[in-house]
Amino acid sequence: NDAATIGVVSRAPAEGLQRLGRAGRIVVADGGSTDQTVQRAQEAAGSTSPVTAIEYARPAVDVLRAPYHGLEGRPAAIRAILREALSGGAAACVFLDGKLTSASGAWVAHLLDPVVAGSHDYVSPYYARHVFEGALTRSVVYPVFRALYGVRLRQPATGEFACSPQFAQHAMDQPFWDLGEAQTAIDLWLASAA
């Protein structure tokens, strides 16, 4: 149910692919939307990049658990898109959240280019944030990631990233997808796997 924002999200990859002179396909993971999200994505992307919708099963909500404020079923959606990218022989795969309103063609091209060039298997954005935003990530998560892995991955828990087919296959082979923790930690786990 992201009809209000999906237009921006659909145009960005289409423009990014044009900037790189590459062809591609936009895949919308649809968990049963009822507000014409898929149709609006198709309209916004135009004829430059075809839009395909794939359905994924959203998990049942457990009323006895504390409420989760993210997207229910995000691991299933990511898994479905990775499966689609691998079966389609994609050279790279970019993930954008359906509620993202700041995506642009240049932004997507910057995510895609290192993966398509073969120099990186995982690319994460570096957000320009207000000094008081992201304090936990900036002061705890980033330093731990840098100490553990020796990489300067500023936003390891981001929902937007690009990956190679090799990384997609590696991620698909892991048992994490079916664990209970996947629901709340999928983005951080993917960065750790990278």
Side-chain angles (χ1 to χ4, degrees), residues 12-184:
E15 292 169 7
L17 289 166
Q18 282 180 335
R19 281 176 172 258
L20 294 175
R22 310 232 359 142
R25 184 166 57 118
I26 298 170
V27 178
V28 176
D30 185 28
S33 62
T34 58
D35 68 347
Q36 298 185 331
T37 297
V38 175
Q39 293 84 349
R40 293 217 176 139
Q42 291 167 335
E43 292 166 4
S47 60
T48 58
S49 298
V51 175
T52 304
I54 55 173
E55 293 192 17
Y56 66 94
R58 293 177 67 186
V61 177
D62 183 355
V63 295
L64 298 178
R65 290 184 77 185
Y68 172 62
H69 300 290
L71 175 64
E72 290 287 346
R74 183 165 168 77
I78 291 172
R79 194 178 199 181
I81 291 174
L82 288 175
R83 188 176 297 119
E84 186 73 15
L86 288 169
S87 69
C93 186
V94 173
F95 285 83
L96 300 175
D97 189 290
K99 293 184 181 350
L100 188 68
T101 58
S102 60
S104 70
W107 202 63
V108 171
H110 287 306
L111 286 173
L112 267 177
D113 194 36
V115 176
V116 172
S119 62
H120 292 78
D121 286 314
Y122 180 89
V123 178
S124 172
Y126 178 45
Y127 301 113
R129 290 185 164 170
H130 187 273
V131 69
F132 298 122
E133 253 187 308
L136 184 61
T137 298
R138 198 172 46 249
S139 60
V140 177
V141 180
Y142 166 68
V144 168
F145 247 74
R146 187 161 180 200
L148 287 175
Y149 303 115
V151 295
R152 294 181 180 195
L153 188 61
R154 292 288 184 169
Q155 268 79 31
T158 183
E160 292 75 42
F161 63 93
C163 68
S164 69
Q166 294 83 3
F167 176 75
Q169 188 61 59
H170 171 73
M172 291 293 287
D173 292 342
Q174 304 306 308
F176 184 78
W177 300 99
D178 298 319
L179 300 177
E181 294 80 17
Q183 180 59 44
T184 55

